[in-house]
Structures are given as structure tokens and as C-alpha cells.
Amino acid sequence: MAGLYVVDASVLLKWVLPPDHEPWQDEAWSIFVAARQGKIEPAAPSLWGYEVGNILSRKFPDQAAESLASLTAILGEGHSVADSAFRAVILELLARNRVTFYDAAYHALAIVREGVFVTADEKYLNAVGSESHIMHLKDWR
């Protein structure tokens, strides 16, 4: 499983939320452990902090600051859309699959960086069908 794995909010939140809140928590935790051990390189676009921060601050305000700090220690600030190649792939995915810019950003990062986008977002998975560089979190082994 070595390599780059792009994780979205559906995975990142499972790293910090209580286990009873999220399906596929064990798979998400396995990715977290592999990242902490240096077995994989986790990545995300820069918008991850805003997306995850919004959810945490609204639903779990008491743990938001600590959770965001922990996630930032692993992911850093994320990949910026200032990169024109990255931005072009986002727009291609968006046009081809009628998905949102922010959802396509995670997927595009995996494509541009030759990695795999791991998500539990079934709506997005259904929208993109057989696109490359993507897997459902439940298929993580």
C-alpha cells in the first residue's frame, strides 16, 4: 500500500470523531496508522482545513482546535489550487461528471500526484463511475 493517498473530509473526520459516529472507522484508522508510521504519504487539497474545520466547529466545538491541530500535523496546509495543472484536472472532472469543485479537488490531486483518492462519499463515487485513481474507503485493506 505504499504511495500517496489523498483523503477527503469523509476520511479525515473518522480520524478524530468518536467511533460510534462513523461507518468504516476501522479502515480510516488503518490509513491514519499507516500515515503516522510513514508507510503511506497522506495528502489533501488546501481546502481540507476549511471543510473539516467547519464540521468540527459546528458539531464538536470542544474538540475542534485540538483535532485540527492533529490533522494539520499530518497533512500540513494541503495542495493549493494555484497550481495550474491541478486546477485544470479539477475543472475536467467537474465538467465530465457534474460534481462540485471541492469534491473534484481531492480526486484531481490524486490524479496529478499519481496517487489514490480514498473517500467514503458514495454520492461522489457514483457520480464519477469508472474514473481512475479513486477507491471507496470500505475497500481499504
Side-chain angles (χ1 to χ4, degrees):
M1 287 253 170
L4 179 109
Y5 289 87
V6 176
V7 289
D8 68 359
S10 72
V11 175
L12 294 171
L13 287 167
K14 293 172 192 346
W15 291 2
V16 295
L17 294 182
D20 57 64
H21 282 85
E22 299 289 325
W24 306 299
Q25 188 98 26
D26 290 342
E27 291 82 357
W29 191 250
S30 177
I31 295 170
F32 175 82
V33 170
R36 295 287 294 193
Q37 293 174 345
K39 293 180 179 177
I40 66 165
E41 179 186 350
S46 57
L47 64 89
W48 79 263
Y50 298 98
E51 189 173 13
V52 172
N54 183 58
I55 293 167
L56 288 173
S57 64
R58 289 177 51 226
K59 294 187 177 186
F60 303 95
D62 294 341
Q63 75 182 66
E66 183 179 338
S67 294
L68 286 168
S70 296
L71 293 172
T72 302
I74 296 168
L75 291 170
E77 291 183 22
H79 197 81
S80 171
V81 294
D83 177 330
S84 62
F86 175 47
R87 197 170 51 245
V89 175
I90 295 170
L91 294 171
E92 289 170 15
L93 285 167
L94 190 148
R96 194 166 50 242
N97 299 296
R98 302 187 146 237
V99 294
T100 65
F101 187 93
Y102 52 87
D103 285 340
Y106 291 96
H107 192 175
L109 183 56
I111 292 168
V112 169
R113 300 264 322 267
E114 299 285 326
V116 177
F117 170 36
V118 183
T119 183
D121 184 343
E122 294 184 357
K123 183 178 176 183
Y124 184 81
L125 286 159
N126 289 331
V128 299
S130 62
E131 291 277 358
S132 65
H133 298 270
I134 189 169
M135 71 182 288
H136 194 297
L137 175 59
K138 70 180 178 183
D139 296 324
W140 179 266
R141 306 239 187 275

Short mmCIF file of all heavy atoms in Angstrom, two decimals, residues 10-32:
data_model
loop_
_atom_site.label_atom_id
_atom_site.label_comp_id
_atom_site.label_asym_id
_atom_site.label_seq_id
_atom_site.Cartn_x
_atom_site.Cartn_y
_atom_site.Cartn_z
N SER A 10 -14.51 13.01 4.49
CA SER A 10 -15.22 11.80 4.93
C SER A 10 -14.29 10.81 5.61
O SER A 10 -14.71 10.02 6.44
CB SER A 10 -15.95 11.14 3.76
OG SER A 10 -15.05 10.51 2.86
N VAL A 11 -13.00 10.87 5.29
CA VAL A 11 -11.99 10.02 5.93
C VAL A 11 -11.37 10.76 7.11
O VAL A 11 -11.23 10.21 8.20
CB VAL A 11 -10.91 9.59 4.92
CG1 VAL A 11 -9.80 8.81 5.61
CG2 VAL A 11 -11.51 8.79 3.78
N LEU A 12 -11.01 12.01 6.91
CA LEU A 12 -10.34 12.78 7.96
C LEU A 12 -11.17 12.88 9.23
O LEU A 12 -10.64 12.77 10.34
CB LEU A 12 -10.02 14.19 7.46
CG LEU A 12 -8.98 14.25 6.34
CD1 LEU A 12 -8.89 15.65 5.77
CD2 LEU A 12 -7.63 13.77 6.84
N LEU A 13 -12.47 13.06 9.08
CA LEU A 13 -13.32 13.17 10.27
C LEU A 13 -13.34 11.86 11.06
O LEU A 13 -13.44 11.88 12.28
CB LEU A 13 -14.74 13.58 9.86
CG LEU A 13 -14.85 15.03 9.43
CD1 LEU A 13 -16.20 15.29 8.75
CD2 LEU A 13 -14.64 15.97 10.61
N LYS A 14 -13.20 10.75 10.37
CA LYS A 14 -13.15 9.46 11.06
C LYS A 14 -11.89 9.31 11.90
O LYS A 14 -11.83 8.52 12.82
CB LYS A 14 -13.27 8.32 10.05
CG LYS A 14 -14.62 8.25 9.37
CD LYS A 14 -14.60 7.23 8.25
CE LYS A 14 -15.78 7.26 7.32
NZ LYS A 14 -16.94 7.98 7.67
N TRP A 15 -10.87 10.09 11.59
CA TRP A 15 -9.62 10.05 12.36
C TRP A 15 -9.80 10.73 13.72
O TRP A 15 -9.05 10.45 14.64
CB TRP A 15 -8.50 10.74 11.62
CG TRP A 15 -8.01 10.04 10.39
CD1 TRP A 15 -8.48 8.88 9.85
CD2 TRP A 15 -6.94 10.45 9.56
NE1 TRP A 15 -7.79 8.55 8.72
CE2 TRP A 15 -6.83 9.51 8.52
CE3 TRP A 15 -6.08 11.54 9.57
CZ2 TRP A 15 -5.88 9.61 7.51
CZ3 TRP A 15 -5.14 11.65 8.56
CH2 TRP A 15 -5.03 10.69 7.54
N VAL A 16 -10.77 11.64 13.84
CA VAL A 16 -10.88 12.43 15.06
C VAL A 16 -12.23 12.33 15.78
O VAL A 16 -12.34 12.78 16.91
CB VAL A 16 -10.56 13.92 14.77
CG1 VAL A 16 -9.11 14.09 14.36
CG2 VAL A 16 -11.49 14.52 13.73
N LEU A 17 -13.23 11.76 15.15
CA LEU A 17 -14.54 11.65 15.79
C LEU A 17 -14.66 10.37 16.60
O LEU A 17 -13.98 9.38 16.32
CB LEU A 17 -15.65 11.69 14.74
CG LEU A 17 -15.80 13.00 13.99
CD1 LEU A 17 -16.97 12.91 13.01
CD2 LEU A 17 -16.03 14.17 14.94
N PRO A 18 -15.53 10.38 17.59
CA PRO A 18 -15.76 9.15 18.36
C PRO A 18 -16.21 8.01 17.43
O PRO A 18 -16.94 8.24 16.47
CB PRO A 18 -16.89 9.53 19.31
CG PRO A 18 -16.83 11.03 19.40
CD PRO A 18 -16.34 11.49 18.06
N PRO A 19 -15.75 6.79 17.70
CA PRO A 19 -16.02 5.65 16.81
C PRO A 19 -17.49 5.39 16.50
O PRO A 19 -17.81 4.92 15.43
CB PRO A 19 -15.43 4.45 17.55
CG PRO A 19 -14.43 5.03 18.47
CD PRO A 19 -14.91 6.42 18.82
N ASP A 20 -18.38 5.70 17.40
CA ASP A 20 -19.78 5.38 17.15
C ASP A 20 -20.46 6.32 16.16
O ASP A 20 -21.60 6.11 15.78
CB ASP A 20 -20.57 5.36 18.47
CG ASP A 20 -20.47 6.67 19.23
OD1 ASP A 20 -20.94 7.69 18.72
OD2 ASP A 20 -19.91 6.64 20.33
N HIS A 21 -19.76 7.35 15.71
CA HIS A 21 -20.36 8.31 14.79
C HIS A 21 -20.21 7.94 13.31
O HIS A 21 -20.93 8.45 12.48
CB HIS A 21 -19.75 9.70 14.99
CG HIS A 21 -20.29 10.41 16.16
ND1 HIS A 21 -19.79 10.23 17.42
CD2 HIS A 21 -21.31 11.28 16.28
CE1 HIS A 21 -20.47 10.98 18.26
NE2 HIS A 21 -21.39 11.62 17.60
N GLU A 22 -19.25 7.09 12.97
CA GLU A 22 -18.88 6.93 11.58
C GLU A 22 -18.74 5.47 11.13
O GLU A 22 -18.08 4.69 11.80
CB GLU A 22 -17.53 7.63 11.34
CG GLU A 22 -17.53 9.12 11.61
CD GLU A 22 -18.31 9.92 10.60
OE1 GLU A 22 -18.30 9.55 9.41
OE2 GLU A 22 -18.95 10.89 10.99
N PRO A 23 -19.33 5.12 9.99
CA PRO A 23 -19.07 3.79 9.42
C PRO A 23 -17.66 3.75 8.82
O PRO A 23 -17.11 4.79 8.48
CB PRO A 23 -20.13 3.64 8.32
CG PRO A 23 -20.49 5.05 7.95
CD PRO A 23 -20.29 5.88 9.20
N TRP A 24 -17.08 2.59 8.72
CA TRP A 24 -15.74 2.35 8.18
C TRP A 24 -14.66 3.06 9.00
O TRP A 24 -13.61 3.43 8.48
CB TRP A 24 -15.65 2.70 6.69
CG TRP A 24 -16.67 2.01 5.88
CD1 TRP A 24 -16.83 0.66 5.72
CD2 TRP A 24 -17.72 2.61 5.14
NE1 TRP A 24 -17.91 0.39 4.93
CE2 TRP A 24 -18.48 1.58 4.55
CE3 TRP A 24 -18.10 3.93 4.91
CZ2 TRP A 24 -19.59 1.82 3.76
CZ3 TRP A 24 -19.20 4.17 4.11
CH2 TRP A 24 -19.93 3.12 3.55
N GLN A 25 -14.91 3.21 10.26
CA GLN A 25 -13.94 3.84 11.17
C GLN A 25 -12.64 3.03 11.22
O GLN A 25 -11.56 3.61 11.22
CB GLN A 25 -14.54 3.95 12.57
CG GLN A 25 -13.69 4.75 13.53
CD GLN A 25 -14.16 6.17 13.67
OE1 GLN A 25 -15.32 6.46 13.46
NE2 GLN A 25 -13.26 7.06 14.01
N ASP A 26 -12.73 1.71 11.23
CA ASP A 26 -11.52 0.88 11.31
C ASP A 26 -10.64 1.07 10.08
O ASP A 26 -9.42 1.14 10.20
CB ASP A 26 -11.89 -0.61 11.47
CG ASP A 26 -12.48 -0.92 12.84
OD1 ASP A 26 -12.31 -0.11 13.77
OD2 ASP A 26 -13.13 -1.97 12.95
N GLU A 27 -11.25 1.15 8.91
CA GLU A 27 -10.49 1.36 7.69
C GLU A 27 -9.81 2.73 7.70
O GLU A 27 -8.64 2.86 7.33
CB GLU A 27 -11.39 1.23 6.46
CG GLU A 27 -11.89 -0.18 6.20
CD GLU A 27 -13.09 -0.60 7.03
OE1 GLU A 27 -13.56 0.18 7.90
OE2 GLU A 27 -13.58 -1.72 6.84
N ALA A 28 -10.55 3.74 8.14
CA ALA A 28 -9.97 5.08 8.22
C ALA A 28 -8.82 5.10 9.22
O ALA A 28 -7.77 5.69 8.96
CB ALA A 28 -11.04 6.10 8.62
N TRP A 29 -9.01 4.45 10.35
CA TRP A 29 -7.96 4.43 11.37
C TRP A 29 -6.72 3.70 10.84
O TRP A 29 -5.59 4.09 11.14
CB TRP A 29 -8.48 3.78 12.65
CG TRP A 29 -7.54 3.98 13.78
CD1 TRP A 29 -6.78 3.04 14.39
CD2 TRP A 29 -7.21 5.21 14.43
NE1 TRP A 29 -6.01 3.60 15.38
CE2 TRP A 29 -6.26 4.94 15.42
CE3 TRP A 29 -7.64 6.53 14.26
CZ2 TRP A 29 -5.71 5.92 16.25
CZ3 TRP A 29 -7.10 7.51 15.08
CH2 TRP A 29 -6.16 7.20 16.05
N SER A 30 -6.92 2.68 10.03
CA SER A 30 -5.80 1.96 9.43
C SER A 30 -4.97 2.88 8.53
O SER A 30 -3.74 2.81 8.51
CB SER A 30 -6.32 0.75 8.65
OG SER A 30 -5.28 0.09 8.01
N ILE A 31 -5.63 3.76 7.79
CA ILE A 31 -4.93 4.74 6.96
C ILE A 31 -4.14 5.70 7.85
O ILE A 31 -2.98 6.01 7.58
CB ILE A 31 -5.91 5.51 6.05
CG1 ILE A 31 -6.56 4.55 5.04
CG2 ILE A 31 -5.21 6.66 5.33
CD1 ILE A 31 -7.71 5.17 4.27
N PHE A 32 -4.77 6.16 8.92
CA PHE A 32 -4.11 7.06 9.86
C PHE A 32 -2.84 6.43 10.42
O PHE A 32 -1.78 7.05 10.44
CB PHE A 32 -5.08 7.41 11.00
CG PHE A 32 -4.47 8.22 12.09
CD1 PHE A 32 -4.35 9.60 11.97
CD2 PHE A 32 -4.02 7.62 13.26
CE1 PHE A 32 -3.78 10.36 12.98
CE2 PHE A 32 -3.45 8.36 14.28
CZ PHE A 32 -3.34 9.74 14.13
#
